Amino acid sequence: MMHWVWTVLIGFLAGFVAKMITPGKGPSGFIMTAVLGVAGSVAASFIGQRLGWYGAGNTAGFIGSVVGAAVLLLVYHLVTRE
């Protein structure tokens, strides 16, 4: 149970940092910021495992989560043209 709490908290922080470093207006609110960060972490973990940066079962760290969230936010901006 605590794993999910930490995942959401780290995801929120990663999403918040990604929103601060990415230009433009993005989705707002605690829930959307946390979802953005968690999705960025999952994306960074998946890509990192495929590229051999992380072993099976390892997850991306905070920096990888921020990078993943920033990439997702840039894709959001491209799709919505905001």
Side-chain angles (χ1 to χ4, degrees):
M1 179 68 179
M2 281 305 285
H3 169 71
W4 291 109
V5 172
W6 281 113
T7 301
V8 170
L9 288 176
I10 296 299
F12 173 72
L13 291 175
F16 181 75
V17 171
K19 283 173 56 172
M20 292 297 115
I21 64 173
T22 306
K25 201 176 157 191
S28 60
F30 176 81
I31 300 295
M32 287 306 296
T33 302
V35 167
L36 175 70
V38 171
S41 179
V42 169
S45 296
F46 178 77
I47 292 169
Q49 287 175 3
R50 296 295 176 251
L51 294 175
W53 297 345
Y54 307 116
N58 292 348
T59 59
F62 182 73
I63 294 173
S65 299
V66 170
V67 170
V71 168
L72 290 177
L73 196 52
L74 288 172
V75 169
Y76 170 82
H77 288 303
L78 289 173
V79 170
T80 62
R81 301 285 183 198
E82 284 188 13

